[in-house]
Amino acid sequence: MPDTIQQLPDSQARSLDIETPTEEELELICKLNFAEWGDALTLPQYLEESKFLTKVPLAQNDGMTSWILTDPDRLPNQRPILASCEIFKKRALMLNEEAQMSEKMIYGIASVFVDPKYRHRGYGTRLLYELAKMLPKMPSGPLHSIGSILYSDIGKDYYTKRGWPAIPENYHIEFNPGATPVSIQAAHLIRIEDLPQLCQDDEAMARRSMASLPPGKTRIMIVPDADHMLWHINKEVFTCQKVFGNVPQAKGAIAGDHGCRVWALWVHRYYSHPQSSPEMNTLYILRFVVEKSEPTLEQLKIQVQYLKAVLQVAQAEAAEWGLQCVKMWHPTPLVRQLVELSGLEYRLVEREEDSIASLRWFGSSGVRNDNMEWVACEKYAWV
């Protein structure tokens, strides 16, 4: 590492490139970003979690790789770490303007970080520039890669100016936690062993729904598979075991008979220790599914009751685990209608600074950002 700031290379230096970090460098990166992303964990726990999360679904088997901007001519563990990030491989469904659907692969850029003392020197911009060159050339396995996504926590302008424009709307609805009411008897808890089949059912429905959409616009959907859900759930389990010595058993709630079911998958997120500053701690709905997307009037009335029961279970779960809010990202027009008819109190929030979904197409895809829709931009895809 350089001894002084004066020894840092210029961000435009031709010698800079992106490289895979060593284990020692990964540990240093975690120590540097702990203050921002350590959440409710201690530093030793955070270091342990970072290694644990490389071995869970979505990340394991090279599903996730780490990268640093550095001087490749310098020796590993002695070279400067000017910026860093993680890259995830994600399955995606793509419907082109002719309404032809295919399965693709898209990269998820996560954990973009620059050491605070190195900021405002252009290193983050250079990292993104190098990623924009590298990702289209990376081996993507059996699926053709079409682009990359990221979620900005610094507003819309920074990444938009660097080639990852924000999608037009980034919103969610919020519910307060609440006690368990009698009306939730129609809903049942979802356990970890239920996830594979529910995710298979969800993907099958998503494929049918995408295939039925009209031509004229390109649509992309990150596949809501079990790997995405299990990444979030494994992070939840690790944190809860460290903080409470116990883990939540409910992974969601479901109501209704097969063919007319409504369900939610969720995750408990602790941004700080619940005994210190619990205000930000949240129960996130990872994925919300309404099985019958075009209900009759009578079916709609039943769906309202199913949705209300499922969300009330979520509210009760949040209260039991000391979470201050229940958040559901990007509900569909049907779900928003059901929420409105349910009588549940909620708040609609348009995000302007945090978790801003942004997408960059590879040049070979031929897709125009002004004629594109990100379908189901829900919390599960945030990894």
Side-chain angles (χ1 to χ4, degrees), residues 187-363:
H188 306 281
L189 296 180
I190 294 173
R191 307 292 183 180
I192 191 76
E193 59 269 20
D194 302 322
L195 285 178
Q197 187 60 56
L198 285 175
C199 289
Q200 287 181 30
D201 292 348
D202 187 10
E203 180 176 343
M205 286 186 290
R207 288 176 179 272
R208 291 195 297 270
S209 177
M210 287 276 284
S212 69
L213 294 174
K217 179 185 292 188
T218 299
R219 296 173 174 89
I220 188 77
M221 179 183 186
I222 308 302
V223 175
D225 54 28
D227 282 358
H228 275 84
M229 311 306 166
L230 289 171
W231 186 92
H232 287 278
I233 289 169
N234 274 283
K235 181 175 174 63
E236 164 197 89
V237 167
F238 185 94
T239 297
C240 290
Q241 189 63 55
K242 297 298 183 182
V243 173
F244 302 108
N246 188 23
V247 299
Q249 297 303 305
K251 308 307 175 187
I254 186 168
D257 296 325
H258 203 285
C260 196
R261 295 175 295 179
V262 173
W263 75 79
L265 302 178
W266 60 56
V267 70
H268 306 65
R269 182 65 186 269
Y270 292 92
Y271 292 100
S272 60
H273 198 286
Q275 294 180 352
S276 57
S277 303
E279 296 82 10
M280 297 288 291
N281 296 340
T282 301
L283 185 81
Y284 283 106
I285 304 294
L286 294 175
R287 175 74 169 143
F288 200 93
V289 178
V290 176
E291 202 162 31
K292 189 170 287 296
S293 59
E294 297 181 359
T296 65
L297 181 59
E298 287 304 312
Q299 290 169 337
L300 183 72
K301 293 178 181 178
I302 296 172
Q303 285 179 335
V304 170
Q305 297 307 312
Y306 289 161
L307 172 137
K308 184 174 183 178
V310 167
L311 288 177
Q312 285 181 325
V313 174
Q315 291 176 293
E317 182 78 6
E320 180 181 352
W321 284 88
L323 300 168
Q324 304 302 301
C325 186
V326 177
K327 293 185 180 181
M328 180 197 298
W329 284 14
H330 280 252
T332 65
L334 173 60
V335 172
R336 288 186 62 174
Q337 180 187 14
L338 297 175
V339 169
E340 187 67 33
L341 293 172
S342 75
L344 293 172
E345 294 184 4
Y346 71 94
R347 299 174 295 279
L348 179 65
V349 178
E350 177 70 27
R351 300 189 303 278
E352 298 291 343
E353 294 295 326
D354 64 288
S355 300
I356 304 298
S358 309
L359 190 154
R360 179 189 182 105
W361 297 98
F362 294 157

Side-chain angles (χ1 to χ4, degrees), residues 18 29 67-70 80-85 112-115 118 123-125 127:
I18 46 178
I29 292 168
W67 299 89
I68 58 172
L69 177 71
T70 189
I81 300 176
L82 304 172
S84 60
C85 70
V112 176
F113 183 79
V114 177
D115 186 337
Y118 294 169
Y123 294 134
T125 297
L127 173 72

Side-chain angles (χ1 to χ4, degrees), residues 80-107:
I81 300 176
L82 304 172
S84 60
C85 70
E86 297 170 343
I87 303 294
F88 287 84
K89 294 179 179 178
K90 298 166 174 278
R91 290 192 302 131
L93 301 178
M94 180 178 177
L95 194 74
N96 65 18
E97 293 184 11
E98 289 74 42
Q100 298 168 329
M101 190 173 69
S102 56
E103 184 172 339
K104 304 291 187 180
M105 201 277 289
I106 199 163
Y107 293 106

Side-chain angles (χ1 to χ4, degrees), residues 152-165:
S152 170
D153 285 333
I154 52 175
K156 301 178 180 179
D157 290 344
Y158 181 86
Y159 288 102
T160 295
K161 291 177 180 177
R162 287 153 181 82
W164 279 266

